[in-house]
Amino acid sequence: MIMEFNSTDEKIITATFGILQNEGVVKATTKRIAAEAGVNEVTIFRKFQNKNNLIEVTKEYYVKLFLEKLERIFDYNEDDTIEEYLHNNFMGLLDLSDEDFSIIKVAIEEVRNIPEKKILMSRITTKVIDKLEEFFIFQIDKEVIREVDSRVLAGMCFSITFQSIILWKIYNKEPSVETTYYAKNFLDILYNGIKL
């Protein structure tokens, strides 16, 4: 659903997202959203018809912004080494704002509350894995790395980088080592393997 937003719409969407990220869908009543946005509840119904539409528009708005950031983080230059590229991905994810990670929180809550509806997490995951796979295919074609299943390699890197950072940022599970040390060792193991 593509919509043009004016300043009132943006206030409503911002208020909705604030409530979603802090308290979840149940607490996001139209009355509460209207109060947070400083608008009349009728304005919400006139613009968005109902709470469910408003929540979907809000999720779409914020996920689109987040996916654009992920696109930039996982883009690559043809001259990037694998170590540089993966290190830059890792650090780029670490530099995301708390609001960015709130989008992931909302996506996780969506999965938890409606297990069959994994739309947001699926879009985020697919975006990252597709970009990683594109980079690895390019590296295979350049004969920098041996021919491996690029999708499996992309999934593995996604799991380690993205999942680690989600644990740290969303669940406040700081690693027992400095993040640059963690990233350096992850890249060493990935690049050099575990065999003697």
Side-chain angles (χ1 to χ4, degrees):
M1 173 190 298
I2 297 173
M3 294 179 69
E4 292 292 319
F5 298 121
N6 61 34
S7 61
T8 302
D9 299 337
E10 287 180 4
K11 279 194 237 177
I12 294 167
I13 289 168
T14 301
T16 303
F17 188 70
I19 294 168
L20 286 175
Q21 70 180 346
N22 293 321
E23 301 175 49
V25 174
V26 176
K27 302 270 183 171
T29 64
T30 53
K31 183 177 247 172
R32 176 103 187 275
I33 293 165
E36 287 284 324
V39 299
N40 190 308
E41 192 175 11
V42 173
T43 305
I44 292 174
F45 290 111
R46 192 172 62 243
K47 279 305 262 182
F48 300 97
Q49 287 81 44
N50 59 52
K51 174 185 160 178
N52 289 340
N53 282 344
L54 172 57
I55 288 172
E56 291 308 311
V57 167
T58 300
K59 287 178 183 178
E60 183 60 32
Y61 177 81
Y62 279 93
V63 161
K64 185 174 182 280
L65 294 175
F66 187 62
L67 290 175
E68 288 169 4
K69 288 181 182 182
L70 290 177
E71 180 85 29
R72 287 190 298 273
I73 289 170
F74 286 90
D75 267 346
Y76 64 91
N77 296 316
E78 292 187 0
D79 298 331
D80 285 346
T81 66
I82 294 169
E83 295 96 331
E84 289 169 335
Y85 176 70
L86 293 175
H87 182 266
N88 291 341
N89 298 160
F90 193 82
M91 299 316 275
L93 289 171
L94 275 177
D95 286 341
L96 288 171
S97 70
D98 289 343
E99 183 176 271
D100 293 323
F101 280 98
S102 292
I103 294 163
I104 296 172
K105 277 176 148 171
V106 169
I108 290 169
E109 182 179 315
E110 178 183 74
V111 172
R112 192 175 327 153
N113 290 339
I114 314 167
E116 68 278 1
K117 187 176 180 181
K118 301 174 183 163
I119 296 167
L120 297 180
M121 269 323 279
S122 176
R123 287 173 64 194
I124 292 167
T125 301
T126 300
K127 171 63 76 181
V128 174
I129 291 176
D130 286 351
K131 293 300 289 180
L132 285 165
E133 182 178 30
E134 180 185 318
F135 175 75
F136 289 128
I137 289 170
F138 180 72
Q139 295 301 314
I140 291 167
D141 290 346
K142 278 181 27 180
E143 297 182 349
V144 172
I145 58 175
R146 68 183 176 90
E147 276 204 41
V148 295
D149 185 320
S150 56
R151 194 72 177 176
V152 170
L153 182 55
M156 193 174 86
C157 289
F158 168 80
S159 296
I160 293 170
T161 56
F162 205 77
Q163 301 292 346
S164 296
I165 292 169
I166 287 174
L167 276 175
W168 300 343
K169 291 280 194 164
I170 292 179
Y171 297 110
N172 296 318
K173 301 284 186 197
E174 288 295 321
S176 57
V177 296
E178 184 189 346
T179 52
T180 52
Y181 176 82
Y182 181 93
K184 181 178 174 275
N185 281 289
F186 152 64
L187 294 173
D188 175 56
I189 292 166
L190 174 69
Y191 208 65
N192 297 312
I194 59 172
K195 282 183 150 185
L196 286 174

